Amino acid sequence: MTDFSVYFFSSNDRNGFGDRYRFVLEVARVIDDKGFKAIWTPERHFQEFGGSFPNPSVLSAALAATTRNLHLRAGSVVLPHHHPVRVAEEWALVDQLSGGRVGICLATGWHKGDFVFHPDLYDTRREYTFGHIETLRALWRGEQAAFPGPDGQTLNVRTYPRPHQPELPLWLVHTSNPQTWLQAGRAGLNVLTLLDSWERLEENISAYRGARAEAGLDPDSGVVTVGLHTFVGEDEAEVKRIVHDPVRTYLSSFVAQKRNDAAVDGESSAMSDAEQKALVGIAAEDFYQRRSLLGTPDKCAKVVQRLSDIGVGEIACLIDFGVPFETVLGMLPHLDGLRARFAPPAPAAPAAGDDALSWYYARN
């Protein structure tokens, strides 16, 4: 069995911000009762790529009020931008609004331009993040945590409101550092990642399972969630036509943002515009052929099965990469059909004389 979720991480496009948020809410409404596991929204600041999502807790509060079943996941919270007390408070509120459907993916932060909130934490961002995992867990459980206060005093804090869930489901985002997998395994965290290489992903998952086992944890219980660009349709040529330009524009925005990040970090990029265009073309074709859910259900099912075989438990479908919103909404039934192929079998209908009411509640 492989769980399917939906993941949002758009670059700026021709749609207004209000339209983008309405699209998120509409997608959530459509998939809420279809068996999808979760909906992911990120935290990004001061840039076009992903710039619709400065605070996932705010958007998740809106989603909590308009859904009944979907888990509401931060993908992710950049912990060095926040005091852990604020994270616990905000997400406990969303957890209460949703009846216990919250999950958080933690991130350490990417580049200097993001650290206007706490510039002093840039150099120690990884230490800060891993140093506050247990703080977050303790606050979520209702325990007191000590923090520096005014005049050199130490303040003991217990957060309110209390959440609905007794424990906070936590992921750690992986971008490029293989040590992240080991740290996540030892800390008992789930992992959210992208598929950049099949070989590296399989190696990292194996290392993650081993790290969990060495820490005395069940090696198979951690969830590996992989984000994949997604557009499923019945006609291969039509799908390729629909996603051709959006995928290239999306990847161009991503590469341009990487160049901007490097400039902020004081680095220079030797890549010319022509080289960037060529790189995007190669990456787009590789995405389509090997590292996405772009294509027919049968083509995409092979990718899902391969991911399942190497230990991936959840696929986060990136659907907002530039395809018109109405076209994406029209694609969702095909995506749901793909999801259903990997869902557990539905309970059998009752035989004559069985309790039909019990069967109904088992299905609903």
Side-chain angles (χ1 to χ4, degrees):
M1 184 187 81
T2 302
D3 287 325
F4 279 64
S5 302
V6 169
Y7 187 37
F8 292 92
F9 201 120
S10 69
S11 58
N12 273 358
D13 51 34
R14 63 184 177 275
N15 298 288
F17 286 99
D19 290 335
R20 298 178 205 180
Y21 299 132
R22 282 187 285 274
F23 172 62
V24 173
L25 294 172
E26 179 63 13
V27 170
R29 185 192 66 78
V30 171
I31 68 173
D32 186 35
D33 62 351
K34 299 294 185 183
F36 285 81
K37 184 70 173 182
I39 192 163
W40 296 83
T41 52
E43 176 184 357
R44 296 291 278 169
H45 301 281
F46 322 127
Q47 50 194 290
E48 290 186 350
F49 196 83
S52 302
F53 304 101
N55 191 334
S57 69
V58 175
L59 187 50
S60 291
L63 290 165
T66 55
T67 60
R68 298 178 302 167
N69 304 303
L70 286 170
H71 290 213
L72 310 175
R73 307 254 182 84
S76 51
V77 168
V78 183
L79 196 54
H81 296 343
H82 305 273
H83 196 290
V85 167
R86 290 295 294 163
V87 176
E89 287 179 336
E90 291 181 9
W91 285 96
L93 174 57
V94 180
D95 202 48
Q96 284 292 351
L97 288 172
S98 66
R101 292 184 278 132
V102 154
I104 298 177
C105 180
L106 300 177
T108 61
W110 289 271
H111 65 100
K112 293 177 181 177
D114 274 354
F115 277 77
V116 68
F117 302 107
H118 296 287
D120 55 308
L121 294 178
Y122 176 75
D123 290 335
T124 59
R125 59 195 182 276
R126 288 186 68 85
E127 293 83 356
Y128 181 91
T129 300
F130 285 98
H132 282 96
I133 290 171
E134 290 308 317
T135 307
L136 271 178
R137 285 170 164 164
L139 290 169
W140 194 268
R141 290 192 295 262
E143 300 170 12
Q144 283 191 342
F147 298 97
D151 303 321
Q153 295 182 344
T154 297
L155 299 179
N156 293 315
V157 175
R158 179 180 288 114
T159 59
Y160 296 95
R162 303 301 316 129
H164 186 278
Q165 298 176 96
E167 297 288 342
L168 174 61
L170 286 173
W171 276 251
L172 186 67
V173 67
H174 166 259
T175 52
S176 60
N177 188 344
Q179 290 298 312
T180 298
W181 291 86
L182 301 178
Q183 291 173 294
R186 297 184 193 113
L189 304 176
N190 306 311
V191 178
L192 171 66
T193 189
L194 298 175
L195 176 56
D196 63 341
S197 161
W198 282 100
E199 293 74 22
R200 276 196 297 272
L201 178 61
E202 188 168 4
E203 291 171 2
N204 286 331
I205 291 175
S206 178
Y208 169 68
R209 302 295 180 198
R212 289 183 62 90
E214 290 174 6
L217 302 170
D218 180 357
D220 298 323
S221 63
V223 178
V224 174
T225 302
V226 173
L228 295 176
H229 290 71
T230 300
F231 191 93
V232 183
E234 295 298 332
D235 183 86
E236 185 76 20
E238 179 66 7
V239 171
K240 202 162 191 177
R241 182 192 67 78
I242 289 170
V243 304
H244 181 276
D245 290 345
V247 165
R248 282 159 176 76
T249 300
Y250 184 92
L251 292 174
S252 294
S253 297
F254 180 76
V255 172
Q257 188 58 56
K258 286 293 185 182
R259 294 173 72 177
N260 293 340
D261 292 351
V264 171
D265 289 339
E267 304 170 3
S268 62
S269 173
M271 187 184 301
S272 68
D273 289 342
E275 289 171 330
Q276 176 177 318
K277 184 176 180 180
L279 175 64
V280 166
I282 294 170
E285 187 62 23
D286 185 56
F287 256 74
Y288 191 90
Q289 297 298 341
R290 299 182 66 246
R291 298 187 291 118
S292 70
L293 297 185
L294 301 174
T296 63
D298 287 344
K299 173 179 178 289
C300 295
K302 294 176 182 177
V303 176
V304 177
Q305 187 60 59
R306 185 176 178 183
L307 288 169
S308 178
D309 290 344
I310 65 173
V312 173
E314 179 182 346
I315 294 174
C317 302
L318 289 127
I319 62 171
D320 62 334
F321 55 91
V323 176
F325 291 162
E326 288 301 319
T327 305
V328 174
L329 290 170
M331 177 273 301
L332 292 178
H334 299 299
L335 178 57
D336 185 47
L338 176 65
R339 177 206 61 77
R341 293 193 188 192
F342 296 90
D354 285 353
D355 186 345
L357 190 59
S358 297
W359 175 77
Y360 171 83
Y361 283 120
R363 289 176 57 88
N364 294 275

